[in-house]
Amino acid sequence: MAAVAAMAAAGCGGVWRQARQRFARWPGPGSRPFSRGHRAVVCNARGGAVSAGKSGLAPWIPVVGLEIHAQISSNSKLFSGSQVQFAAPPNSLVSFFDASLPGTLPVLNRRCVEAAVMTGLALNCHINKKSLFDRKHYFYADLPAGYQITQQRVPIAVNGSLSYSLCIDNKMSQMVTKTVRIKQIQLEQDSGKSLHDDTRSQTLVDLNRAGVGLMELVMEPDMCCGEEAAAAVRELQLILQTLGSSQAVMAEGQLRVDANVSVHHPGEPYGVRTEVKNINSIRFLAKAIDYEIQRQIQELGNGGTILNETRAFDSKLGCTIPMRDKEGKQDYRFMPEPNLPPLILYDAKSLPANMNHQQVINIDWIHERLPDLPSVKREKLVEQYGILPEHSFTLLNEDGLAEFFDSVVKQTQMKPKKVIGWILNDLLSYLKQHSLTVKESPVSSFLLADLLNLLEKKEISSTAAKRVLAELWKGEGKTPLETVKEHKLELLQDLKELEQICQAVIDGQENEILIKVLLYFQAGMKAQAERERTLELTRKCRS
């Protein structure tokens, strides 16, 4: 397979060169490309239209739909036995089928099917007991077969929904729940990776990713801004990670989002949409959608038109840039995949009595073994520990933080409502400050629980506890108690010792203390005389 690494396609790099040339006509984010009269006020959690500014025109209604590709967590690819591994040497994980050598046939990976069924059930989808595979034809250098195996006609799951929560006016204490419809979930194989080299005018192809199993989730256009899209994708990411159907690490390309964006006036049909491709960060997703909404409103407000085109988001500039137009609809020439029979699934009612259970996939069996989803976990955290609902969101949004919190609570005498403050306000701020994950924290749950026990027993003050936490963060291997003794931070428990210290202070500062006492009494006598004079004047006035 080493020969594949040298594949070159000189025309592929031209797409990006052309995009950069077209983007040169657009001002950067620092040059204020949008006039204030048409600047979009992105919808908040309550929904609603986008203001048209001071121009007096009817407001704009943004419409956002998402197409999400999630890499299935599996040891091998969708139709071959090749291993799946991130950052492996180029073209080191390529089978004959992945390279599309003549005579090779696909063999469906059972694990990928189970992961898709599990995801569909978690998203309230109807699971089709019979689904079909299709060929989607298009030419690109990293697609050696000239077609992709997908499920266009009859996907494995349809008609689902995803509920997610949004903050109102960026206030965690005020949250609203929204729902986006899931049109379908389909199994398909990933393509390879093209590495564009503009200096040599060539494109190198790595087929390690070719054939990796994907779930494509198509969301209906039920969202209206970047904030909603980001919240929905984050909730989906948590669900996938909870199920184990996908690791959904966006930095490794395991979760890629395409956003379809359009704007229209109330009562009018949807406007022409643009597609922002391959967004690999939730933060960039929100920025890309909000920018695209503003760009379209500005373009239409100036009398222009919106092209049905594919755009990319430049994270450095904070802008979307044109890649290719879609005015001429591409004919993918979908056809049934002749080498794969229909995918048949069963439930408890339809499962034949004489069927070997290890050779079939039982929908009900998978449904019974679904773990608690993030929404259920949040409810349990609130109910079990009495914490605020917004705190439960923060615990689950940080990978491993809920388990860390639970471990600390079990090891400390402090009440959970106090523990949550130390974890969210102190530990989490340390982690973010040093760009560390919970698993990388030098302060373990045992050490934090030990520290909180000292605080709860009133052996140290809250100020001293924060200082000890800062020392523990250095990772020197010391326990909280050792740190307290080393820096002499313990509170005095012996009253006689405290009296001796106070007496020593008084003896050492006897003259200064006597002067302060005399001044205090002098001020008191003056105040008393002033009060008596006021009372005397009051009596005279009344008489």
Side-chain angles (χ1 to χ4, degrees):
M1 296 306 160
V4 186
M7 292 178 62
C12 297
V15 175
W16 285 98
R17 287 194 296 273
Q18 185 181 17
R20 284 194 288 271
Q21 293 170 359
R22 295 175 64 184
F23 176 66
R25 301 192 296 268
W26 277 89
S31 56
R32 299 184 180 275
F34 302 116
S35 62
R36 292 190 178 183
H38 293 280
R39 186 171 179 81
V41 180
V42 180
C43 67
N44 57 26
R46 299 184 181 90
V50 172
S51 169
K54 299 180 180 179
S55 59
L57 298 175
W60 293 98
I61 298 179
V63 178
V64 179
L66 301 178
E67 297 175 9
I68 302 171
H69 290 87
Q71 179 179 317
I72 298 173
S73 181
S74 173
N75 294 328
S76 57
K77 297 182 180 181
L78 183 57
F79 298 116
S80 76
S82 297
Q83 185 182 355
V84 177
Q85 179 184 341
F86 179 71
N91 295 300
S92 61
L93 305 174
V94 185
S95 69
F96 292 148
F97 176 80
D98 302 330
S100 191
L101 295 186
T104 56
L105 295 173
V107 178
L108 184 58
N109 184 337
R110 178 193 179 97
R111 160 62 187 164
C112 293
V113 178
E114 292 176 338
V117 172
M118 192 184 309
T119 304
L121 292 172
L123 295 175
N124 310 300
C125 291
H126 169 73
I127 307 298
N128 286 323
K129 294 180 183 178
K130 179 181 179 181
S131 57
L132 305 174
F133 288 97
D134 305 287
R135 288 185 179 182
K136 177 182 179 181
H137 293 83
Y138 63 94
F139 173 76
Y140 207 68
D142 55 23
L143 192 70
Y147 61 85
Q148 176 193 41
I149 300 178
T150 181
Q151 291 186 308
Q152 175 68 16
R153 295 171 298 160
V154 185
I156 194 168
V158 294
N159 300 333
S161 63
L162 170 66
S163 295
Y164 58 96
S165 297
L166 280 175
C167 301
I168 299 178
D169 299 328
N170 292 323
K171 296 179 181 178
M172 285 293 292
S173 58
Q174 301 179 23
M175 306 192 77
V176 62
T177 300
K178 291 198 168 189
T179 301
V180 58
R181 293 170 294 159
I182 307 291
K183 180 181 179 182
Q184 65 188 51
I185 300 175
Q186 61 195 48
L187 284 167
E188 63 182 30
Q189 58 180 172
D190 204 351
S191 60
K193 185 177 181 180
S194 296
L195 305 173
H196 303 290
D197 187 350
D198 286 345
T199 58
R200 298 181 180 180
S201 298
Q202 65 180 8
T203 297
L204 301 178
V205 176
D206 179 10
L207 293 181
N208 278 349
R209 206 173 66 184
V212 170
L214 299 179
M215 292 179 289
E216 181 179 2
L217 297 92
V218 181
M219 294 184 178
E220 298 284 7
D222 297 337
M223 294 161 284
C224 66
C225 61
E227 182 185 7
E228 289 191 6
V233 172
R234 178 53 181 152
E235 186 69 13
L236 174 64
Q237 186 181 39
L238 288 174
I239 291 174
L240 294 175
Q241 291 171 346
T242 300
L243 297 173
S245 57
S246 173
Q247 296 179 8
V249 180
M250 301 190 78
E252 296 182 4
Q254 296 175 357
L255 193 69
R256 308 190 293 271
V257 184
D258 302 336
N260 294 292
V261 182
S262 68
V263 298
H264 67 281
H265 287 305
E268 295 182 357
Y270 286 175
V272 177
R273 71 184 183 187
T274 58
E275 183 180 21
V276 186
K277 295 281 290 184
N278 290 331
I279 307 171
N280 60 356
S281 160
I282 292 178
R283 183 165 57 94
F284 292 160
L285 173 66
K287 288 185 176 182
I289 291 174
D290 290 343
Y291 178 89
E292 186 59 22
I293 291 172
Q294 294 180 4
R295 186 192 70 84
Q296 292 188 20
I297 291 175
Q298 171 70 18
E299 185 73 24
L300 294 172
N302 290 335
T305 58
I306 301 300
L307 297 177
N308 182 14
E309 62 182 352
T310 299
R311 302 177 71 88
F313 180 68
D314 190 313
S315 58
K316 294 181 180 179
L317 297 174
C319 303
T320 62
I321 59 175
M323 293 176 61
R324 59 183 181 271
D325 68 73
K326 300 170 67 176
E327 293 296 336
K329 188 173 181 180
Q330 186 171 358
D331 182 11
Y332 290 115
R333 294 174 292 130
F334 285 100
M335 61 168 283
E337 169 55 59
N339 294 325
L340 286 170
L343 175 59
I344 306 298
L345 307 177
Y346 297 90
D347 57 17
K349 294 181 180 179
S350 61
L351 185 65
N354 58 348
M355 182 72 71
N356 186 346
H357 291 211
Q358 296 181 350
Q359 296 181 353
V360 299
I361 294 177
N362 189 330
I363 301 172
D364 292 333
W365 187 88
I366 295 175
H367 190 273
E368 291 171 359
R369 286 157 178 78
L370 286 180
D372 287 341
L373 297 181
S375 57
V376 177
K377 288 184 177 180
R378 295 188 193 102
E379 293 176 359
K380 288 186 176 181
L381 285 170
V382 173
E383 182 180 351
Q384 181 177 357
Y385 297 117
I387 62 176
L388 297 175
E390 53 266 29
H391 291 163
S392 68
F393 276 89
T394 307
L395 287 177
L396 286 184
N397 282 344
E398 299 293 333
D399 185 27
L401 192 59
E403 292 78 10
F404 189 96
F405 167 75
D406 185 66
S407 178
V408 172
V409 170
K410 290 179 179 178
Q411 299 178 74
T412 184
Q413 301 171 5
M414 183 177 284
K415 293 182 179 180
K417 289 184 179 181
K418 291 184 179 179
V419 174
I420 193 71
W422 279 89
I423 287 182
L424 298 187
N425 298 331
D426 297 278
L427 179 74
L428 192 57
S429 63
Y430 271 112
L431 292 174
K432 291 187 175 180
Q433 183 180 353
H434 294 84
S435 300
L436 296 176
T437 64
V438 175
K439 295 179 181 179
E440 297 170 337
S441 172
V443 180
S444 65
S445 60
F446 172 78
L447 289 177
L448 183 59
D450 198 10
L451 173 62
L452 296 182
N453 280 332
L454 294 176
L455 179 60
E456 189 67 14
K457 294 176 183 177
K458 297 183 179 179
E459 296 183 16
I460 58 174
S461 65
S462 178
T463 303
K466 291 182 182 292
R467 182 176 173 184
V468 173
L469 182 61
E471 292 295 325
L472 294 175
W473 192 258
K474 296 178 182 179
E476 297 177 350
K478 298 177 183 177
T479 66
L481 185 58
E482 291 172 345
T483 305
V484 167
K485 290 182 177 180
E486 179 182 347
H487 296 275
K488 298 180 180 180
L489 298 174
E490 58 267 37
L491 291 174
L492 290 176
Q493 304 292 338
D494 191 343
L495 291 179
K496 290 185 178 180
E497 184 180 357
L498 182 60
E499 288 176 359
Q500 292 175 0
I501 294 175
C502 292
Q503 189 61 48
V505 173
I506 293 174
D507 294 342
Q509 305 290 335
E510 187 173 350
N511 294 332
E512 289 81 354
I513 292 174
L514 181 59
I515 293 172
K516 288 182 180 179
V517 170
L518 290 174
L519 291 174
Y520 174 78
F521 279 110
Q522 184 179 6
M525 292 174 65
K526 287 183 179 179
Q528 181 65 24
E530 193 68 31
R531 285 195 296 271
E532 291 177 356
R533 190 181 308 157
T534 302
L535 291 173
E536 184 64 27
L537 289 174
T538 303
R539 284 195 294 269
K540 288 181 179 181
C541 290
R542 289 179 179 176
S543 61

